[in-house]
Amino acid sequence: MTQATQDIVQKLWNLCNVLRDDGVTYHQYVTELTYLLFLKMAKETSTEDKLPEGYRWDDLENKARAADLLYYKELLLHLGSNGSRITQEIFAEANTFLRKPSTLAQLVASIDSLDWYSAKDEGLGDLYEGLLEKNASEKKSGAGQYFTPRVLIDVMVELSQPQLGEVIQDPAAGTGGFLISAYHYLHNQHDFDDFSVEQYAKVQKQFYGMEFVHDAYRLALMNLMLHDLEADGDIGIRFGDTLSSEGERLPKADLILTNPPFGTKKGGGLPTRTDFTYPTSNKQLAFLQHIYRSLKPGGRAAVVLPDNVLFESGQGRDIRRDLMDKCNLHTLLRLPTGIFYAQGVKTNVLFFTKKSDAAKGATQTVWIYDLRANMAQFGKRTALTHEHFYDFIKAYGEDKNGLSPRTDLGETGRFRCFTRADIAARDDSLDIAWLKDDSATDAADLPEPEALAQQAMLELEGVFADLKELMEALGVEEEDTA
């Protein structure tokens, strides 16, 4: 992101101070700003044909100057059912958090005064991405739950090597970061300026995703649109629940890149998918089933998952076995702590390639890279950068399926190879560490209490799931404690 874009992002973010007196939260502010920026950017990019006449930026600007908050409320309601498809999707069920007409007037005037010539020249998509990242880095916003650090996304995409013509999917799309990074990767590999209209339309239609949180879905649509990933009104990201029958309608993928949400399914219920062999209320395990089942033979995946997925017994163990039968789980990256804004849980990236749904024993060896032990505590003071992944990228190799020659660095190194028999001897646990970690011995370096609590909750959920499975196997019914 250039300095000019950073300056505009900072100015937009500073406008949230205007809304504090109006009782607007950080997250509500970004949603509100999305409505206004959609109108303003449509004017700046000469795409106001997406909007019905009388409900465009100039109309809003004139009404805002007259402190007409009622018109703004009418505009949001009207655009939810009029205009282009993406307009209606972004403004669906939209409402304003503003209470004072003067606040609307100040926001509109401030947005109008920005250097839009520079913003357009450097990419409106980068500007919006910067705003989303700013929101996620603000702890109070709570947006970190669907925002994966950009550097991690880019490394996962770089190693997965998206190709033209591939179906690329994110079943937990959040604000669209993985799909946009994959698009940028393709853009860097190919000069889209030389593509015909038909060729470029095919590129735009490579990307698919699903998002269950409406506000995140709204931000994702805006994000994809500003990165030119809306083809003829066809929107790649859909609003829906991947763990329901809606997820079964996502197309089979050549590449899946994702960071599924942590925790259990709301209400503790099981997914309503009909194609899952192992029903579980653990969201990550359910998403993992979706991912390896949704890959085409030869398809590959890079997935962020918390530690409990690696060691949970019962259904967790069965799902890991099924994964290693159907797919070559060739690489596991143990991530540093503190890299996620909202969660302090320990996480990993699993890289695997699908053999077939009927395969057995597809995984023969798993290479594990420990980027967690004896690493800095990342956060606002210590930023995670691409350089931190340099040695891992080199060790991973150039083959996108993890088939490059590799070297086991032994018990004192970060990269080691474990056979399928080694893993089976550990009750099929993939939670394997060998380096003594001295980085968290100082109490001052320990994670925040809420991060420790979050991690403990995830582990307890796994224990309760195992106990429930055992009770069912013994024929013991749960007592009604209501």
Side-chain angles (χ1 to χ4, degrees):
M1 190 189 305
T2 66
Q3 187 59 50
T5 300
Q6 289 180 28
D7 290 344
I8 295 174
V9 168
Q10 188 60 52
K11 288 178 180 177
L12 284 170
W13 187 247
N14 288 342
L15 290 177
C16 69
N17 296 324
V18 176
L19 279 74
R20 283 179 182 168
D21 291 339
D22 233 3
V24 177
T25 67
Y26 287 103
H27 185 61
Q28 289 171 337
Y29 165 64
V30 174
T31 301
E32 194 86 52
L33 198 57
T34 296
Y35 303 145
L36 298 172
L37 288 178
F38 183 89
L39 300 174
K40 178 60 176 175
M41 290 175 177
K43 177 182 179 180
E44 295 296 330
T45 56
S46 302
T47 56
E48 286 191 302
D49 57 336
K50 297 177 187 288
L51 302 163
E53 292 185 10
Y55 295 89
R56 298 174 178 177
W57 178 259
D58 288 343
D59 303 303
L60 174 62
E61 192 174 16
N62 291 332
K63 295 288 187 177
R65 197 178 296 120
D68 192 344
L69 189 57
L70 289 177
Y71 166 80
Y72 180 52
K73 293 179 179 178
E74 179 195 339
L75 176 145
L76 296 178
L77 184 64
H78 188 78
L79 294 182
S81 55
N82 293 276
S84 69
R85 181 184 171 191
I86 196 165
T87 298
Q88 293 183 45
E89 290 283 331
I90 287 177
F91 286 88
E93 301 178 16
N95 60 78
T96 181
F97 303 104
L98 304 181
R99 300 172 185 171
K100 303 174 184 175
S102 59
T103 305
L104 173 65
Q106 189 170 351
L107 279 177
V108 170
S110 298
I111 290 171
D112 201 49
S113 68
L114 295 174
D115 183 1
W116 288 99
Y117 180 84
S118 295
K120 286 188 294 181
D121 190 51
E122 296 175 11
L124 294 176
D126 287 346
L127 187 156
Y128 194 71
E129 278 275 288
L131 188 65
L132 293 178
E133 187 166 9
K134 199 81 173 172
N135 186 40
S137 67
E138 175 52 60
K139 190 175 181 181
K140 294 178 183 178
S141 77
Q145 62 182 304
Y146 38 71
F147 193 96
T148 308
R150 286 292 169 254
V151 61
L152 175 58
I153 289 176
D154 291 342
V155 168
M156 291 167 63
V157 169
E158 177 184 340
L159 296 177
S160 301
Q161 300 175 33
Q163 304 293 309
L164 285 177
E166 290 188 325
V167 173
I168 301 170
Q169 183 198 123
D170 182 350
T175 56
F178 279 104
L179 299 181
I180 288 166
S181 179
Y183 170 78
H184 284 165
Y185 180 90
L186 288 174
H187 199 327
N188 290 334
Q189 299 295 315
H190 307 275
D191 188 354
F192 290 161
D193 292 337
D194 293 337
F195 280 30
S196 66
V197 173
E198 292 77 15
Q199 286 175 313
Y200 188 62
K202 289 181 180 179
V203 174
Q204 291 174 303
K205 292 179 180 179
Q206 285 185 231
F207 303 92
Y208 295 86
M210 186 164 282
E211 175 52 43
F212 187 52
V213 178
H214 206 147
D215 279 346
Y217 172 65
R218 199 189 314 273
L219 302 182
L221 290 182
M222 182 76 168
N223 209 5
L224 264 66
M225 183 192 75
L226 293 176
H227 284 89
D228 204 20
L229 281 176
E230 177 216 0
D232 301 324
D234 188 18
I235 303 166
I237 290 184
R238 306 168 187 176
F239 177 63
D241 183 2
T242 301
L243 302 183
S244 73
S245 59
E246 295 170 314
E248 296 179 55
R249 294 194 288 271
L250 283 170
K252 293 288 185 179
D254 298 285
L255 174 60
I256 294 181
L257 300 154
T258 191
N259 176 12
F262 299 165
T264 56
K265 187 169 174 60
K266 191 173 182 181
L270 297 175
T272 56
R273 292 281 290 263
T274 61
D275 61 337
F276 282 180
T277 306
Y278 307 102
T280 172
S281 61
N282 181 304
K283 283 184 182 179
Q284 307 95 62
L285 289 170
F287 268 100
L288 184 56
Q289 284 190 86
H290 164 84
I291 292 160
Y292 67 78
R293 288 176 172 276
S294 295
L295 286 174
K296 300 176 183 178
R300 58 206 184 282
V303 187
V304 179
L305 292 168
D307 274 13
N308 72 298
V309 170
L310 306 184
F311 61 74
E312 189 168 309
S313 58
Q315 296 282 44
R317 179 180 53 238
D318 293 338
I319 291 169
R320 288 193 301 275
R321 287 173 178 168
D322 196 37
L323 167 68
M324 289 187 282
D325 272 340
K326 293 177 169 60
C327 305
N328 177 20
L329 175 59
H330 53 80
T331 311
L332 191 156
L333 171 63
R334 291 170 64 86
L335 289 169
T337 57
I339 65 172
F340 287 93
Y341 299 115
Q343 292 102 352
V345 295
K346 296 175 181 177
T347 53
N348 315 267
V349 183
L350 274 59
F351 296 86
F352 51 89
T353 305
K354 176 81 167 279
K355 187 173 181 181
S356 75
D357 285 321
K360 293 291 182 181
T363 298
Q364 295 297 310
T365 57
V366 178
W367 288 80
I368 301 179
Y369 193 99
D370 191 337
L371 195 62
R372 183 182 304 167
N374 303 309
M375 293 293 290
Q377 289 292 315
F378 292 99
K380 282 191 174 183
R381 287 177 293 180
T382 306
L384 184 70
T385 68
H386 192 275
E387 285 69 30
H388 290 112
F389 291 94
Y390 176 80
D391 288 339
F392 168 65
I393 293 170
K394 185 177 179 181
Y396 185 98
E398 297 181 358
D399 187 88
K400 61 180 179 291
N401 293 307
L403 300 179
S404 294
R406 294 174 166 184
T407 302
D408 189 320
L409 300 179
E411 293 186 359
T412 60
R414 290 194 179 274
F415 203 31
R416 297 199 63 193
C417 179
F418 296 87
T419 67
R420 184 67 185 85
D422 293 332
I423 295 166
R426 298 169 180 265
D427 198 26
D428 286 314
S429 171
L430 291 165
D431 187 27
I432 303 173
W434 59 93
L435 293 174
K436 182 182 178 183
D437 190 0
D438 299 319
S439 60
T441 55
D442 189 336
D445 292 330
L446 289 173
E448 294 293 326
E450 60 265 29
L452 292 170
Q454 177 77 16
Q455 184 177 343
M457 283 178 61
L458 282 173
E459 295 181 6
L460 284 171
E461 284 168 359
V463 172
F464 285 130
D466 291 345
L467 288 173
K468 184 176 180 181
E469 184 179 336
L470 178 61
M471 290 172 65
E472 290 173 350
L474 295 172
V476 179
E477 295 184 3
E478 293 184 76
E479 293 184 9
D480 187 357
T481 57

